[in-house]
Amino acid sequence: MLVRKHGKECHIYGTGKDRLVVGFHMPTATPETGSSNTTTTDKPAADLSDIKLRKGEKIEPVEGHAYAEIVSGPRGGMYINTSQNSRHGEAFVLVEKADFDYHIYGTGADRQVVRASRRDDDE
């Protein structure tokens, strides 16, 4: 299982006492050029002006998806829903599995897990 949270990518192997979590920071820029590892397109950027962020947070849209990654601040590595549905503007943790992505909103009794099918071009 792959989990991205707080600017880290974690791979989780096994369960229970045999569980192993391996984490590492995801690169944000190449050392030679200082440029981001994302590509740009001629497509207009999503309007993110109505998204309320916490102090020190910045977001970048994720190409081809209706969410943006929080790239700085205390929730760095989490994502913000930018679709126009009922979860618009809410932060979530992205969990990628073989056939589906899971968007996990909230914690404890307020936790909500939303399953999204993986697109063919995501692989």
Side-chain angles (χ1 to χ4, degrees):
M1 174 173 30
L2 173 67
V3 177
R4 291 186 181 143
K5 185 174 181 180
H6 302 299
K8 288 181 74 175
E9 187 171 278
C10 297
H11 295 257
I12 302 172
Y13 304 95
T15 60
K17 67 178 184 161
D18 296 325
R19 181 176 167 179
L20 173 65
V21 178
V22 180
F24 57 92
H25 288 278
M26 296 168 37
T28 56
T30 57
E32 307 85 40
T33 63
S35 65
S36 171
N37 60 358
T38 59
T39 57
T40 57
T41 63
D42 294 334
K43 204 160 118 179
D47 181 20
L48 305 176
S49 61
D50 63 334
I51 304 289
K52 292 181 175 66
L53 299 175
R54 294 181 182 174
K55 185 176 181 178
E57 287 185 340
K58 292 182 183 175
I59 58 175
E60 291 181 4
V62 177
E63 184 178 336
H65 297 279
Y67 52 81
E69 182 175 7
I70 302 172
V71 295
S72 67
R75 298 185 297 175
M78 292 181 72
Y79 296 84
I80 297 282
N81 184 318
T82 59
S83 68
Q84 297 303 317
N85 65 20
S86 62
R87 293 178 296 279
H88 179 79
E90 292 184 26
F92 65 92
V93 174
L94 177 64
V95 176
E96 297 174 329
K97 290 210 173 185
D99 296 328
F100 299 98
D101 288 345
Y102 295 90
H103 299 191
I104 304 171
Y105 297 88
T107 60
D110 297 325
R111 181 175 147 177
Q112 180 181 17
V113 179
V114 178
R115 184 177 81 174
S117 298
R118 299 199 86 190
R119 298 183 352 221
D120 290 337
D121 60 344
D122 282 350
E123 297 176 23

